[in-house]
């Protein structure tokens, strides 16, 4: 998305009451259990396609579609590979090894990410998630990681928001394929390495590449720079987080007795630059021990175990912070339904605060699908907080969520919805 592009608006329905919309089915919404679900993301090119496609309703140009039902099929096609063909992709490295380090008080555990499966789930349901964390207050599936094209999408899909990425509370985070960042989920810490096999510098901030946030300042940003100096070595950041420790994945490598593999994090937030000890002891800021995140000041000294690190910060860094994080990152207004694979239908959005919408190939639907395998009125979506309720409105070929046929289901960001031959990835906008 180019600078200044506005968020898309859902298709207008004018003053008419959509046929069969939010009527008898409304009473059933409360019966849907709020089960947890996984999430999947989207790259800038694919999202740009979604933005460009929004506007007037798409009409079906095949003859006779309004008068006949499609041929019934036993099972919809399997979920297609998520692609991002709208922009040039960075080639995937030959040695591509994404992983997560689960940090505990007794050490850390490396967990490889299987890039052949579409989504990696994180939550407290030991039996049904890929990465289990013992957090009683989070959802069974709280966070998902998805690689689309050459970008990762990290999304919070739990009932309540518990995700912080690099110290900043967020619901959705876009990162380059080789990004490294700290995920805080409740009180649990995970180090995400987009590609551990390739030791590459951080992108300065994923916010600069976020296709879901309009009006970002991407050029002529305020001058702001953080420099860490240790002996003859120094690390410079203009917005990127800095992980400190003795593990090779760290941005600032420290050696010394008592230094932990992932000992501390420095991150840029909306109002300042902060030091987070990541639940470790032996972290001091200008000779004062700290046990929670604290703002950094120019000229301060960070002491980790017995290693001293000097801090230099330019005067205008707070102006740069405000430009890097100009909006509340939990304040998404829409659910995006982006067409993936060879989907014949167009992408669309649904307001989080709006009424229910109907989907199908008939002209009376709020969202018209250019799909001959969809029914005239195929499904209904009703938003509710961080999720939607999806109803199959007696279609011929059914509705599928993540490959399973459903009559009624709670849908979260990251789910794949299948209607006819159309596949839509749900996310925040």
């Amino acid at each position: 998305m180019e600078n200044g592009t506005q968020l898309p608006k859902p298709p207008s329905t004018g003053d008419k009451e959509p046929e069969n919309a939010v009527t008898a089915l409304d009473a059933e919404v409360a019966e849907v259990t709020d089960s947890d679900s996984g999430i999947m993301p989207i790259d800038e090119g694919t999202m740009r396609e979604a933005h460009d496609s929004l506007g007037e309703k798409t009409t079906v140009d095949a003859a006779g579609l309004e008068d006949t039902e499609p041929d019934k099929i036993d099972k919809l096609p399997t979920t297609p590979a998520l692609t991002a063909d709208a922009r040039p992709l960075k080639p995937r490295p030959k040695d591509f090894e994404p992983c997560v380090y689960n940090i505990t008080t007794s050490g850390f555990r490396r967990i490889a990410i299987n890039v052949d499966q579409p989504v990696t789930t994180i939550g407290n349901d030991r039996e049904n998630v890929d990465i289990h964390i013992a957090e009683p207050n989070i959802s069974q599936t709280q966070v998902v990681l998805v690689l689309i094209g050459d970008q990762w999408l990290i999304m919070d899909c739990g009932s309540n928001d518990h995700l912080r990425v690099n110290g900043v509370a967020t619901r959705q985070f876009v990162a380059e394929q080789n990004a490294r960042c700290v995920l805080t989920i409740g009180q649990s810490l995970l180090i995400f390495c987009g590609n551990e096999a390739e030791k590459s510098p951080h992108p300065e901030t994923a916010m600069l590449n976020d296709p879901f946030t309009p009006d970002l300042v991407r050029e002529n940003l305020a001058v702001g720079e953080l420099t860490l100096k240790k002996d003859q070595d120094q690390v410079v950041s203009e917005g990127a987080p800095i992980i400190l420790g003795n593990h090779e994945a760290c941005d600032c490598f420290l050696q010394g007795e008592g230094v932990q593999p992932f000992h501390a994090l420095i991150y840029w937030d909306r109002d300042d630059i902060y030091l987070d000890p990541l639940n470790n002891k032996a972290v001091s800021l200008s000779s004062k021990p700290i046990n929670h995140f604290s703002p950094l000041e120019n000229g301060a000294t960070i002491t980790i175990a017995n290693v001293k690190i000097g801090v230099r910060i330019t005067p205008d860094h707070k102006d740069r912070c405000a430009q890097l994080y100009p909006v509340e990152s939990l304040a998404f207004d829409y659910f995006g339904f982006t067409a993936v694979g060879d989907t014949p239908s167009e992408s669309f959005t649904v307001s989080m605060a709006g009424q229910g919408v109907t989907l199908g190939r008939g002209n009376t639907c709020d969202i018209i699908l250019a799909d001959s395998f969809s029914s005239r009125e195929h499904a209904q979506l009703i938003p509710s907080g961080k999720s939607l309720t999806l109803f199959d409105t007696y279609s011929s070929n059914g509705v599928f969520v993540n490959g399973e046929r459903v009559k009624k289901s709670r849908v979260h960001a990251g789910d794949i919805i299948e209607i006819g031959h159309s596949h839509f990835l749900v996310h925040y906008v």
Side-chain angles (χ1 to χ4, degrees), residues 14 41 44 58 163 189 220 249 275 288 323 356 424:
E44 181 175 1
T58 303
L163 173 66
L189 295 170
N220 302 319
L275 171 66
K288 295 181 180 180
Q323 290 177 323
F424 300 99

Side-chain angles (χ1 to χ4, degrees), residues 21 70 93 108 190 195 211 253 273 292 323 352 379 413 428:
F108 66 90
L190 298 95
N195 184 19
F253 183 77
I273 303 174
H292 61 276
Q323 290 177 323
M352 287 185 171
Y428 303 116

Side-chain angles (χ1 to χ4, degrees), residues 7-25:
L7 287 174
K9 304 299 182 186
S12 174
T13 59
D15 296 326
K16 73 179 181 69
E17 182 71 14
E19 201 172 313
N20 294 331
V22 201
T23 53
L25 291 176

Side-chain angles (χ1 to χ4, degrees), residues 163-415:
L163 173 66
R164 299 178 73 88
V165 180
N166 296 329
V168 181
T170 188
R171 187 173 287 177
Q172 182 167 276
F173 187 84
V174 182
E176 300 298 321
Q177 68 179 1
N178 61 348
R180 299 183 306 283
C181 51
V182 175
L183 309 182
T184 306
I185 305 174
Q187 299 300 313
S188 297
L189 295 170
L190 298 95
I191 308 297
F192 169 71
C193 296
N195 184 19
E196 189 182 38
E198 179 184 358
K199 177 67 173 179
S200 300
H202 274 293
E204 277 307 328
T205 171
M207 288 295 291
L208 293 179
N209 301 314
D210 186 356
F212 308 100
T213 304
D215 303 324
L216 289 180
V217 179
R218 291 177 170 83
E219 297 179 354
N220 302 319
L221 279 86
V223 176
E225 188 174 270
L226 163 70
T227 302
L228 301 182
K229 189 171 179 59
K230 178 179 68 70
D231 300 327
Q232 301 302 314
D233 300 326
Q234 69 177 26
V235 178
V236 179
S237 169
E238 295 180 348
I242 299 174
I243 304 171
L244 303 92
N246 65 15
H247 192 276
E248 61 181 7
C250 292
D251 305 290
C252 183
F253 183 77
L254 305 177
Q255 287 182 309
E257 184 177 354
V259 177
Q260 300 301 311
F262 304 100
H263 206 118
L265 169 71
I266 294 174
Y267 64 93
W268 297 61
D269 207 336
R270 297 176 180 84
D271 58 347
D272 215 332
I273 303 174
Y274 291 89
L275 171 66
D276 187 336
L278 299 181
N279 295 336
N280 287 303
K281 298 179 180 179
V283 178
S284 298
L285 185 58
S286 297
S287 302
K288 295 181 180 180
I290 63 171
N291 54 20
H292 61 276
F293 64 89
S294 302
L296 286 176
E297 296 182 355
N298 183 41
T301 298
I302 301 171
T303 304
I304 295 179
N306 60 350
V307 180
K308 295 186 180 298
I309 306 158
V311 177
R312 186 172 71 248
I313 304 175
T314 55
D316 296 333
H317 73 281
K318 290 189 178 182
D319 293 336
R320 190 175 181 90
C321 286
Q323 290 177 323
L324 294 176
Y325 299 97
V327 295
E328 174 55 54
S329 56
L330 295 180
F332 291 92
D333 298 321
Y334 298 94
F335 290 103
F337 291 78
T338 294
V340 294
D342 296 326
T343 291
S345 302
E346 302 288 345
S347 303
F348 61 94
T349 61
V350 174
S351 173
M352 287 185 171
Q355 297 182 343
V357 296
T358 53
L359 297 84
R361 57 183 174 80
N363 286 329
T364 60
C365 291
D366 300 299
I367 308 297
I368 300 177
L369 305 177
D371 189 332
S372 61
F373 282 87
S374 65
S375 296
R376 285 188 295 270
E377 191 168 299
H378 199 113
Q380 182 185 31
L381 284 165
I382 301 178
S384 177
K386 287 181 68 178
S387 63
L388 308 97
T389 304
L390 173 65
F391 295 96
D392 181 344
T393 53
Y394 310 105
S395 67
S396 297
N397 291 321
V399 173
F400 294 77
V401 177
N402 300 326
E404 294 186 8
R405 186 164 185 167
V406 299
K407 285 292 185 182
K408 179 176 60 177
S409 176
R410 187 77 76 186
V411 175
H412 298 74
D415 288 335

